[in-house]
Amino acid sequence: MAALDSLSLFTGLGLSEHKARETLKNTALSAQLREAATQAQQTLGCTIDKATGTLLYGLASRLRDPRRLSFLVSYIANRKIHTETQLSGEARAALKWADGKMIKHEVDMQVLHLLGPKTETDLEKKPKVAKARPEETDRRTAKDVVENGEAVVQTLSLMEQLRGEALKFHKPGENYKTPGYVTTPHTMDLLKQHLEITGGQVRTRFPPEPNGILHIGHAKAINFNFGYAKANNGICFLRFDDTNPEKEEAKFFTAICDMVAWLGYTPYKVTYASNYFDQLYAWAEELIRRGQAYVCHQRGEELKGHNPLPSPWRDRPTEESLLLFEAMRKGKFAEGEATLRMKLVMEDGKMDPVAYRVKYTPHHRTGDTWCIYPTYDYTHCLCDSIEHITHSLCTKEFQARRSSYFWLCNALDVYCPVQWEYGRLNLHYAVVSKRKILQLVAAGAVRDWDDPRLFTLTALRRRGFPPEAINNFCARVGVTVAQTTMEPHLLEACVRDVLNDTAPRAMAVLEPLQVVITNFPAAKSLDIQVPSFPADETKGFHQIPFGPIVFIERTDFREEPEPGYKRLAWGQPVGLRHTGYIIELQHVVKGPSGCVERLEVTCRRADAGEKPKAFIHWVSQPLTCEIRLYERLFQHKNPEDPAEVPGGFLSDLNPASLQVVEAALVDCSVALAKPFDKFQFERLGYFSVDPDSRQGQLVFNRTVTLKEDPGKV
């Protein structure tokens, strides 16, 4: 009987009877085609035209990973894929004279948007037809090989994500082979000592300032620093650059540690620039003795601009500068009255950068021990030297500091690591500047640093983004010298890919409409077993009640439906998901204002008549909860660009960025959910439990919709 049903289904797709029977002989193909057809019918109804049937057959016969099926079927059913060329990706043959790199980039982005990052199945290494030379294997980013006539994309390792200059990284102890590295007569001896200490180990560090929350750009830095060390069997330090006590708070230290751990990384050691204050001060005195630093009394405003006047104190005697520097430490100068400056000119023309300044602000770790604090230009390279960092990986804006980095280590005759700059990762429709986020908080546009509309890591976690998705996104972007600005929907595609496999299903109704089943088939409620993951029932089931009163989405009913409407209407029954029952409208009950208050329906078994055009979700004996629906915080791609937003980013806020549904209904299977637990609410999207939840009052954040909104630019 099942074979006859399948034969009828396949011929209904446009297959000849002979081809349908041949398909039935292939168990895997026929199972995949049945699933594809069934899913398509949920959108298109029982009748599927021959063109769509041909696409579904092509999909079922090609697809290697069944987990991708629902993505592609939905695109076929919604006419987003409507040709064989789109399905098979044969763009290159159809566009012989087009720029290959541009096509590849666009296809990569579209595939990422459509399917999300590769799964472990995708990344499994396949046998190769011909063995590649080692040098080719080392340098390729994603090499296609042929297996059974099909292209197979190989795994992208961390090293293979590197682009261009990043492939030229030196081996430990071979710093001098890096272009631009400055050597001295002491360099080789220092490198020899360095190798004796490290044993040739790769060492990196992630050095955040503890004056704000990490954002999506930091996720790339974390992945790069920790990932590069791990890929080379090395270690990575988490080092706090805590040299500005005015802006540092304990909550930022805690949040940064939490976010590094949340992304899945464990530092070799957590260190602080303040650990080395004594050594840094001693080196500053040595720098003065060597005639490479001096105490200056120019005010901060005199040092600003492109061409500040040279310091009149640049050539003051060494002993005088030593005495004055000691006086600075003892608190004999007011803030701004004296600084220690280094004698060098940087790439950007900045002359004699400041090494130490006076600040009478207690430090969170050292208290009142110090009233002078070192700057980034002075501290960073020396801390790298102390920790014997091999690769000091910085974002592009620090390129102008490279000369001071090499100069200072060499001026003190200490081990000099290599600084290498890479492009920042930015997103459209976002701001990540600490100062600007504080303005958003002050203006009441967002609640705090972890408001789910922001792109701080705490905000993304609160919204429900899995850390694996963020790491996958960073891997997809890769590591390049050029700055990268990505569309948020590409990050969201990575999120969907992870949540599709990890978020159990439940049903929720945002705008409830009561439905009374007048001929309910039992004296009391029925218990319905629902698969938590319909595509893989081995992951378990959950139980929900099904009673004579259910609630459906108000939008799933129309008294006067527009053409093409497939849900509940007069003369148009619908199925209730997972119940095996179909309901048909009998009576509409309205209130005094004319608004529909409830529906009265009858039900029948789904197998006792014609199949309905649609199946809708529902809840019975539900929990009341609050649901927060998020959209983009800004209306324009580049809210900080005056040309695009003349009034400034605060004038570009999207008034519909947050919609709160205070009395949504959700099935009781989620009753014991804890903050950050994630679910797919069927037909609505992916949702995460917000920390605002209390016993008996759950709050859910919508993480992402089930698919990208086609109305978004």
Side-chain angles (χ1 to χ4, degrees):
M1 187 69 182
L4 288 174
D5 289 344
S6 294
L7 183 64
S8 174
L9 177 65
F10 293 172
T11 55
L13 296 176
L15 273 65
S16 66
E17 184 171 341
H18 173 74
K19 188 162 187 177
R21 291 186 183 281
E22 286 299 311
T23 300
L24 283 170
K25 294 177 183 178
N26 185 329
T27 306
L29 172 59
S30 57
Q32 197 144 270
L33 184 56
R34 270 195 304 273
E35 181 63 22
T38 303
Q39 290 187 25
Q41 286 176 339
Q42 292 179 13
T43 301
L44 301 172
C46 294
T47 305
I48 295 177
D49 60 87
K50 184 173 181 179
T52 302
T54 301
L55 287 174
L56 293 173
Y57 182 86
L59 170 64
S61 60
R62 280 195 189 96
L63 192 63
R64 288 180 168 275
D65 185 353
R67 291 174 297 179
R68 303 294 193 190
L69 189 71
S70 58
F71 283 100
L72 292 168
V73 170
S74 69
Y75 270 68
I76 291 171
N78 288 291
R79 303 293 190 263
K80 292 184 178 180
I81 292 177
H82 47 79
T83 69
E84 273 291 315
T85 301
Q86 285 179 295
L87 189 61
S88 62
E90 294 170 356
R92 189 71 207 116
L95 299 169
K96 294 180 181 178
W97 308 110
D99 185 300
K101 289 184 179 178
M102 291 180 66
I103 289 178
K104 184 180 185 304
H105 175 75
E106 182 60 23
V107 169
D108 286 348
M109 291 298 99
Q110 292 295 335
V111 169
L112 173 61
H113 161 59
L114 178 65
L115 301 180
K118 297 181 181 68
T119 63
E120 288 183 7
T121 302
D122 296 321
L123 297 177
E124 239 175 33
K125 288 199 173 183
K126 307 296 191 301
K128 302 173 187 178
V129 172
K131 187 174 181 180
R133 294 193 302 273
E135 62 268 28
E136 292 174 339
T137 305
D138 289 342
R139 289 180 175 271
R140 67 192 175 189
T141 56
K143 187 74 173 175
D144 285 344
V145 297
V146 176
E147 180 185 66
N148 299 328
E150 295 188 18
V152 180
V153 179
Q154 299 298 296
T155 181
L156 274 177
S157 71
L158 187 280
M159 295 305 295
E160 290 172 330
Q161 293 164 26
L162 303 180
R163 310 282 194 267
E165 291 299 311
L167 292 169
K168 301 175 183 175
F169 277 179
H170 66 284
K171 294 179 180 178
E174 296 184 355
N175 306 27
Y176 60 91
K177 292 185 178 180
T178 303
Y181 187 79
V182 179
T183 59
T184 73
H186 303 281
T187 295
M188 299 313 293
D189 287 339
L190 291 168
L191 290 175
K192 182 179 178 181
Q193 294 169 19
H194 160 73
L195 286 175
E196 289 172 354
I197 292 168
T198 66
Q201 181 182 53
V202 166
R203 293 185 168 205
T204 61
R205 81 291 168 271
F206 173 58
E209 295 179 71
N211 60 2
I213 298 296
L214 302 182
H215 54 71
I216 187 67
H218 290 112
K220 177 179 177 179
I222 291 169
N223 272 276
F224 191 14
N225 277 286
F226 282 90
Y228 186 77
K230 184 178 180 180
N232 291 279
N233 299 313
I235 59 175
C236 183
F237 293 78
L238 169 57
R239 185 206 308 143
F240 288 104
D241 182 22
D242 58 341
T243 58
N244 191 355
E246 291 176 329
K247 297 182 179 180
E248 294 158 7
E249 297 181 41
K251 69 176 183 179
F252 295 135
F253 287 86
T254 302
I256 289 169
C257 286
D258 287 348
M259 289 301 97
V260 170
W262 179 63
L263 288 178
Y265 295 106
T266 302
Y268 166 72
K269 186 183 292 185
V270 177
T271 59
Y272 304 81
S274 56
N275 289 353
Y276 311 121
F277 276 177
D278 287 327
Q279 177 64 74
L280 294 172
Y281 181 81
W283 273 336
E285 289 184 311
E286 179 62 21
L287 204 61
I288 296 171
R289 291 190 193 97
R290 295 185 177 208
Q292 302 289 6
Y294 62 96
V295 172
C296 175
H297 304 289
Q298 284 182 295
R299 295 282 180 170
E301 55 271 17
E302 296 178 73
L303 301 178
K304 292 179 180 177
H306 292 294
N307 296 299
L309 293 173
S311 171
W313 292 280
R314 196 172 199 266
D315 296 320
R316 76 188 326 160
T318 296
E319 290 303 320
E320 186 178 329
S321 279
L322 282 170
L323 290 171
L324 291 170
F325 187 48
E326 185 179 5
M328 286 172 60
R329 177 177 181 174
K330 291 180 176 178
K332 295 183 179 179
F333 288 101
E335 291 188 11
E337 277 190 343
T339 59
L340 182 69
R341 295 175 66 183
M342 299 177 281
K343 292 184 181 179
L344 80 147
V345 179
M346 300 171 72
E347 278 106 328
D348 59 1
K350 181 179 178 182
M351 185 174 183
D352 294 0
V354 172
Y356 271 86
R357 70 277 202 216
V358 177
K359 284 185 181 293
Y360 290 103
T361 303
H363 192 276
H364 65 286
R365 298 187 73 240
T366 61
D368 294 322
T369 302
W370 297 89
C371 64
I372 58 171
Y373 294 97
T375 62
Y376 176 91
D377 286 326
Y378 178 77
T379 307
H380 191 75
C381 63
L382 295 181
C383 288
D384 282 352
S385 180
I386 291 170
E387 293 175 351
H388 282 273
I389 301 303
T390 57
H391 300 78
S392 182
L393 309 175
C394 306
T395 46
K396 195 71 174 173
E397 67 266 31
F398 293 102
Q399 185 168 344
R401 266 76 172 257
R402 192 196 295 184
S403 58
S404 67
Y405 188 103
F406 292 157
W407 177 89
L408 184 51
C409 290
N410 290 332
L412 288 167
D413 283 327
V414 297
Y415 162 70
C416 183
V418 176
Q419 175 175 310
W420 184 85
E421 306 88 17
Y422 60 92
R424 292 182 61 149
L425 169 60
N426 295 318
L427 286 178
H428 288 306
Y429 302 99
V431 299
V432 295
S433 155
K434 299 164 190 171
R435 178 176 58 83
K436 291 178 180 177
I437 290 176
L438 286 172
Q439 287 179 258
L440 289 168
V441 174
V446 297
R447 292 173 56 179
D448 207 338
W449 293 87
D450 64 347
D451 188 294
R453 290 165 290 182
L454 296 173
F455 283 90
T456 61
L457 295 185
T458 50
L460 296 179
R461 178 177 65 170
R462 185 166 190 167
R463 185 159 172 169
F465 281 37
E468 306 96 309
I470 295 173
N471 293 344
N472 290 347
F473 177 64
C474 291
R476 283 284 176 173
V477 173
V479 181
T480 63
V481 176
Q483 180 169 298
T484 308
T485 303
M486 305 296 289
E487 294 289 346
H489 69 74
L490 298 175
L491 172 58
E492 292 170 2
C494 295
V495 172
R496 290 187 189 94
D497 190 75
V498 172
L499 291 180
N500 184 54
D501 291 337
T502 58
R505 277 41 169 180
M507 291 191 288
V509 173
L510 302 186
E511 194 178 356
L513 175 60
Q514 188 183 74
V515 176
V516 178
I517 304 173
T518 58
N519 65 335
F520 191 74
K524 59 179 183 177
S525 294
L526 303 173
D527 290 330
I528 304 293
Q529 292 290 110
V530 178
S532 297
F533 295 87
D536 184 0
E537 295 188 357
T538 63
K539 291 184 176 181
F541 291 77
H542 59 273
Q543 186 171 285
I544 56 174
F546 173 44
I549 296 176
V550 300
F551 297 88
I552 67 172
E553 290 285 358
R554 192 167 287 272
T555 54
D556 281 341
F557 164 71
R558 288 281 186 276
E559 277 192 278
E560 298 178 7
E562 63 274 12
Y565 186 79
K566 293 184 173 63
R567 286 161 278 174
L568 186 62
W570 287 110
Q572 185 166 284
V574 295
L576 295 179
R577 288 178 65 79
H578 306 300
T579 64
Y581 283 92
I582 293 167
I583 58 172
E584 186 162 6
L585 185 63
Q586 302 297 324
H587 186 52
V588 177
V589 180
K590 297 184 179 180
S593 65
C595 180
V596 176
E597 288 188 345
R598 73 174 184 274
L599 306 176
E600 293 179 359
V601 303
T602 55
C603 72
R604 63 173 171 83
R605 292 289 306 175
D607 54 7
E610 187 179 347
K611 189 174 181 180
K613 291 184 178 180
F615 287 80
I616 62 174
H617 66 281
W618 53 276
V619 291
S620 183
Q621 302 174 28
L623 306 173
T624 301
C625 65
E626 178 181 312
I627 288 183
R628 299 168 183 172
L629 305 174
Y630 296 99
E631 297 292 345
R632 289 173 180 156
L633 183 60
F634 297 102
Q635 300 182 73
H636 290 82
K637 268 190 173 186
N638 303 295
E640 298 171 273
D641 184 352
E644 198 168 330
V645 185
F649 71 99
L650 288 176
S651 71
D652 194 46
L653 295 170
N654 174 11
S657 64
L658 171 60
Q659 177 189 349
V660 179
V661 182
E662 295 182 343
L665 303 178
V666 62
D667 74 47
C668 54
S669 68
V670 305
L672 300 179
K674 305 180 296 300
F676 304 114
D677 282 353
K678 298 165 181 58
F679 300 90
Q680 183 197 109
F681 290 164
E682 297 196 33
R683 299 176 66 216
L684 297 180
Y686 294 101
F687 292 78
S688 179
V689 181
D690 189 87
D692 285 346
S693 297
R694 299 290 179 267
Q695 187 171 6
Q697 182 56 46
L698 289 170
V699 178
F700 289 92
N701 297 319
R702 184 171 67 189
T703 305
V704 289
T705 54
L706 288 180
K707 58 183 178 181
E708 186 199 348
D709 182 353
K712 287 184 181 178
V713 177

